[in-house]
Amino acid sequence: MDNEKLGTAIVITSGKGGVGKTTTSANIGTGLAMMGKSVVVLDADIGLRNLDVVMGLENRIVYDLVDVVEKNCRLKQGLIRDKRFEKLYLLPAAQTKDKSAVKPEQMLELVGELKKEFDYIIIDSPAGIEQGFQYSIAGADQALIVTTPEISAVRDADRVIGLLEAKGVYNPKLIINRIRPEMVKKGDMMNMEDISDILAIDLLGVVPDDEEIVISTNKGEPAVIEGKSLAGKAYMNITKRIMGEEIELLNLDSNNESTFNKIIKLLFGK
Amino acid sequence: MEFLKFFSRKQENSKEVAKERLKLVLVHDRSDLSPKLLDMMKGDIIRVISEYADIDKENMAIKVTKMKSEKDIAPVSALVANIPIIKIKDNKKSAI
């Protein structure tokens, strides 16, 4: 055995589009880098590239995932270094190709190479369950399922959990995005227990619906960096749980806003 | 527990509606069997059991669910049948 490091590849997937996979990938990847880990965030959404703009790295792209896979460039040339964290890299998707440009075996090989160099490989999967999903999960050791508290998103999440199992990716963890505590309180939105019970998988974290996400996406700066917003804090918690820390879930069912804020302050300081 | 609902001031929350609808739709989504195959299987099961007992066909339920296996990390599919028996038949083939 050699003493190469062997990182962990985590695919972020959902089935349904628009639930926050890319935002989640950007925040978790950045969060891990903030904790001192070496990270590649890999945009697997060929043809609909977006992780670059969410990370604020769109102006630096020269090569992309397809160039790397087809060996038009070396792996190192395809990786774009983040402007804030030196151990954080982006491997952007190709924008002018389609999902047939990458095969699962190629992805498996690529992720295998990346795992020798980095602690974490975060794979931002495209929506859907076709080719793009199939190659996205090919090299993954773990899967995180992103859903929102809506019937359609939860249903698709359930389908994806089944497909992951069929491919040998077991024990996916759940991230519930865009929870609105006031609607949960009124009984007009499924809460985290409802959703994790129905899907029968472990909950990794809950991210509240937060305007700050829109603002941070506008700026190309993942919310976890500034870290003051609720969503930013939720993503940092998720990051730490991925690293094995035990951190309590945000109490979003709290009776009033001020108690809620107090708990946040207790948990995070400030 | 029904009486508790009676005393609660609100009518059913939309979240409960969502949960019920979701659970129902997932039962179908999760079964690897097509509804047609499941129906055929149900017919055969009824036929076999009817040789031994009168069953309540109106209130029987046969479905496929996923459950966590104790040994394995991969969940397994399980055929769950709830077949109310009205009366055991005095079978011509006497037991043993």
Side-chain angles (χ1 to χ4, degrees), chain A:
Chain A
M1 294 296 274
D2 45 26
N3 52 4
E4 276 172 341
K5 82 159 90 184
L6 201 56
T8 308
I10 303 174
V11 63
I12 316 288
T13 188
S14 68
K16 190 175 180 299
V19 296
K21 284 181 296 298
T22 302
T23 305
T24 299
S25 301
N27 277 285
I28 289 177
T30 305
L32 287 165
M34 288 167 76
M35 300 297 289
K37 299 293 177 186
S38 59
V39 184
V40 178
V41 287
L42 193 162
D43 190 348
D45 201 351
I46 299 173
L48 294 167
R49 156 165 104 198
N50 269 326
L51 190 51
D52 55 338
V53 286
V54 176
M55 303 274 298
L57 300 172
E58 67 274 18
N59 293 328
R60 304 183 172 203
I61 297 178
V62 182
Y63 296 107
D64 57 47
L65 173 62
V66 176
D67 291 323
V68 170
V69 159
E70 289 180 349
K71 305 206 166 32
N72 296 331
C73 69
R74 282 177 291 114
L75 175 53
K76 287 264 158 68
Q77 292 176 299
L79 296 173
I80 297 160
R81 192 157 99 204
D82 185 75
K83 47 190 177 191
R84 294 144 297 213
F85 302 98
E86 57 174 298
K87 286 159 100 181
L88 177 60
Y89 291 82
L90 166 72
L91 181 49
Q95 183 69 328
T96 54
K97 309 271 169 50
D98 62 58
K99 265 86 174 172
S100 64
V102 172
K103 303 267 168 298
E105 310 80 65
Q106 293 173 312
M107 194 70 168
L108 187 64
E109 188 192 334
L110 169 63
V111 173
E113 286 300 310
L114 289 170
K115 279 164 68 172
K116 291 179 193 165
E117 308 281 335
F118 295 90
D119 297 318
Y120 288 96
I121 296 90
I122 305 296
I123 304 160
D124 181 20
S125 133
I129 53 174
E130 298 83 15
Q131 277 172 306
F133 169 76
Q134 300 296 342
Y135 66 64
S136 295
I137 66 170
D141 303 303
Q142 295 171 21
L144 302 184
I145 312 282
V146 182
T147 192
T148 60
E150 286 142 43
I151 284 198
S152 48
V154 178
R155 182 192 196 179
D156 290 1
D158 189 78
R159 186 100 172 85
V160 162
I161 293 164
L163 293 169
L164 284 166
E165 275 160 8
K167 293 282 176 186
V169 184
Y170 301 124
N171 283 328
K173 302 273 189 293
L174 183 65
I175 294 175
I176 304 172
N177 194 16
R178 299 210 197 107
I179 280 263
R180 294 175 59 176
E182 74 288 353
M183 287 194 76
V184 170
K185 215 170 81 186
K186 275 193 271 174
D188 279 330
M189 183 176 269
M190 287 186 281
N191 64 30
M192 49 199 185
E193 288 86 14
D194 295 329
I195 298 169
S196 62
D197 283 356
I198 286 171
L199 293 176
I201 64 173
D202 296 333
L203 186 63
L204 185 70
V206 186
V207 183
D209 196 16
D210 190 339
E211 290 177 3
E212 286 298 323
I213 289 292
V214 179
I215 297 168
S216 73
T217 309
N218 287 344
K219 294 185 197 160
E221 207 167 278
V224 75
I225 298 175
E226 205 227 13
K228 285 184 185 145
S229 63
L230 266 184
K233 282 168 179 162
Y235 277 124
M236 186 43 90
N237 276 0
I238 289 171
T239 301
K240 289 177 178 170
R241 289 188 202 109
I242 290 173
M243 292 172 60
E245 285 183 43
E246 283 192 22
I247 297 185
E248 272 187 63
L249 286 169
L250 298 185
N251 184 359
L252 298 168
D253 286 336
S254 189
N255 284 330
N256 62 61
E257 196 67 20
S258 64
T259 333
F260 178 59
N261 284 337
K262 271 182 219 152
I263 291 166
I264 299 297
K265 280 171 190 153
L266 265 175
L267 284 172
F268 303 100
K270 298 203 168 173

Side-chain angles (χ1 to χ4, degrees), chain B residues 5 7 53 77-78 90 92:
Chain B
K5 272 189 197 158
F7 284 114
S77 291
D90 280 330
K92 54 251 170 197

Side-chain angles (χ1 to χ4, degrees), chain B residues 23-86:
Chain B
K23 280 178 189 164
L24 271 174
V25 88
L26 289 185
V27 167
H28 285 276
D29 287 0
R30 283 172 181 174
S31 66
D32 307 328
L33 288 166
S34 68
K36 192 185 164 201
L37 260 170
L38 192 65
D39 259 0
M40 286 163 61
M41 199 158 79
K42 200 169 160 181
D44 282 353
I45 291 171
I46 292 174
R47 196 168 41 72
V48 171
I49 295 179
S50 299
E51 284 185 31
Y52 301 91
D54 291 329
I55 56 176
D56 181 0
K57 286 177 196 159
E58 294 293 304
N59 292 310
M60 64 177 285
I62 294 181
K63 60 178 182 179
V64 179
T65 58
K66 293 247 189 237
M67 17 179 90
K68 274 195 176 163
S69 149
E70 282 183 12
K71 296 167 224 106
D72 206 9
I73 37 170
V76 291
S77 291
L79 183 72
V80 179
N82 187 353
I83 306 170
I85 293 172
I86 297 168

